[in-house]
Amino acid sequence: MLKMIVCVKQVPMVSELPWDPKTGTLSREEAEGMMNPACKYALEAALRVKEEHGGHITAITMGPPMAQEVLHEALAMGADRCLMVSDPRMAGSDTLMTSFTLARAIETYCSEFDLILCGCHTSDSETAQVGPQLAEELGLPSIAYAESLSLRERTVRIERNSDHFLETLEMDLPGLITIAGQSFSPRYIPMKGLQNAFEEPNILGVNAHDLGLDDVSIGADGSPTKILDVCSSTAGKQNVVLSGAPKKIVEELFKRFDDTIGSVIRKDLKAVK
Ligand SMILES: Cc1cc2nc3c(=O)[nH]c(=O)nc-3n(C[C@H](O)[C@H](O)[C@H](O)COP(=O)(O)OP(=O)(O)OC[C@H]3O[C@@H](n4cnc5c(N)ncnc54)[C@H](O)[C@@H]3O)c2cc1C
């Protein structure tokens, strides 16, 4: 039986991103959470493989306690069991620490697996680093940005768009794939799924101690990435009114905006004069 793991992250609902301009951070606790869209595609990909070949799906998330909501959603969609990796010491993990901690959870609670699926990136931090770093941590081959996926015995074949070329790649299992693209449009959740997700949810809670990380520097302490500043980009715009005779206006226009106009029409106007 094919054993699959899907990594899912909770992100703030896109429609409400409470941004604190003073600290430059997201007030995540004020926003409603949802499953990261690309993680949903990854779960849908796993469900389709399971329908075609049989299999077992474990969904894993690492986050604060409220992130457990995405595991209920994963169960409702069709995952078989879930791991909730949560501990106050894990707060503030950068992508390297997130991958490190997820790898320890997989080694401890999913010792035998064939395929790990991740989203290609998240809609909040959007680094696209966790999937490839997780593969590196576990010593696995990996392929990023898969848009289609098929399986023959122990070989997985994917297609992906790369610089307007369609690439077809094959990888032997075990391995890790990050999923992109809307060809894995997620299914509607059936009533039976909701029953599975809430009546007796198969979710195992795991903390740093369970993963043997008591003496290891984790979370913000173990994260080499430090955010020094975050700011919104501002577009500068200014209205200028030129007056006088048309000839004078045109001369003035070129005097002020030579470089801008030249770069648009691709001519060095100073050389033309
Ligand atoms: C210094 C620092 C502090 C941070 N503190 C926080 C914080 O307190 N809270 C917070 O939410 N984020 C925090 N982040 C962001 C945090 O590092 C990232 O959310 C997390 O490491 C994933 O990065 P990403 O969102 O860019 O994931 P990507 O690399 O874009 O994600 C790709 C895929 O990896 C998998 N994945 C990513 N993260 C998880 C996860 N947590 N659980 C399961 N699967 C996952 C999913 O399949 C996802 O689709 C911090 C980042 C930095 C640099």
Side-chain angles (χ1 to χ4, degrees), residues 7-9 28 36 39 60-62 91-95 98 102 118-122 124-131 225 227:
C7 296
V8 293
K9 185 187 171 193
R28 290 169 193 272
N36 175 53
C39 297
I60 304 186
T61 199
M62 173 186 148
S93 295
D94 68 0
T95 61
T98 303
L102 287 173
C118 292
C120 59
H121 56 64
T122 57
D124 56 352
S125 304
E126 211 179 340
T127 65
Q129 292 171 353
V130 171
T225 317
I227 298 176

Side-chain angles (χ1 to χ4, degrees), residues 7 48 63 73 75 86 100 115 123 127 131 133 137 150 152 162 168 174 177 183 204 208 214 231 265:
C7 296
R48 291 186 197 178
E73 195 174 345
L75 287 173
S86 189
F100 170 83
L115 180 59
S123 60
T127 65
Q133 282 176 176
E137 273 288 338
S150 60
R152 201 161 45 86
S162 180
T168 305
I177 295 175
S183 48
L204 179 66
D214 281 336
C231 54
I265 63 173

Side-chain angles (χ1 to χ4, degrees), residues 25-232:
T25 58
L26 278 177
S27 312
R28 290 169 193 272
E29 60 287 352
E30 283 175 32
E32 265 199 67
M34 63 175 203
M35 192 188 293
N36 175 53
C39 297
K40 250 190 192 180
Y41 300 146
L43 181 55
E44 176 63 30
L47 290 166
R48 291 186 197 178
V49 170
K50 181 180 162 183
E51 278 161 2
E52 204 179 331
H53 301 276
H56 182 275
I57 299 174
T58 301
I60 304 186
T61 199
M62 173 186 148
M66 75 178 269
Q68 185 160 319
E69 289 165 7
V70 295
L71 296 182
H72 286 283
E73 195 174 345
L75 287 173
M77 279 177 73
D80 298 287
R81 76 159 181 153
C82 294
L83 285 185
M84 172 74 218
V85 184
S86 189
D87 192 301
R89 284 183 59 212
M90 293 170 188
S93 295
D94 68 0
T95 61
L96 198 67
M97 249 316 123
T98 303
S99 317
F100 170 83
T101 312
L102 287 173
R104 301 296 82 82
I106 289 170
E107 282 168 348
T108 314
Y109 291 96
C110 317
S111 52
E112 282 176 19
F113 60 85
D114 302 294
L115 180 59
I116 301 179
L117 293 169
C118 292
C120 59
H121 56 64
T122 57
S123 60
D124 56 352
S125 304
E126 211 179 340
T127 65
Q129 292 171 353
V130 171
Q133 282 176 176
L134 177 58
E136 197 64 26
E137 273 288 338
L138 293 168
L140 294 172
S142 68
I143 302 178
Y145 294 99
E147 293 186 11
S148 78
L149 186 160
S150 60
L151 190 72
R152 201 161 45 86
E153 292 171 8
R154 301 283 300 165
T155 304
V156 67
R157 175 180 285 209
I158 73 103
E159 285 179 329
R160 68 175 180 186
N161 271 304
S162 180
D163 287 339
H164 305 296
F165 286 94
L166 186 66
E167 284 184 344
T168 305
L169 305 172
E170 281 191 347
M171 178 177 74
D172 289 338
L173 298 180
L176 182 149
I177 295 175
T178 78
I179 300 289
Q182 314 222 338
S183 48
F184 295 106
S185 174
R187 63 199 55 207
Y188 286 110
I189 292 176
M191 285 304 284
K192 179 92 179 65
L194 287 175
Q195 215 174 346
N196 289 344
F198 290 99
E199 285 191 353
E200 280 180 49
N202 189 358
I203 301 177
L204 179 66
V206 173
N207 60 25
H209 176 73
D210 298 324
L211 300 181
L213 300 178
D214 281 336
D215 302 322
V216 181
S217 189
I218 56 171
D221 290 344
S223 295
T225 317
K226 304 289 172 226
I227 298 176
L228 300 181
D229 189 18
V230 181
C231 54
S232 310

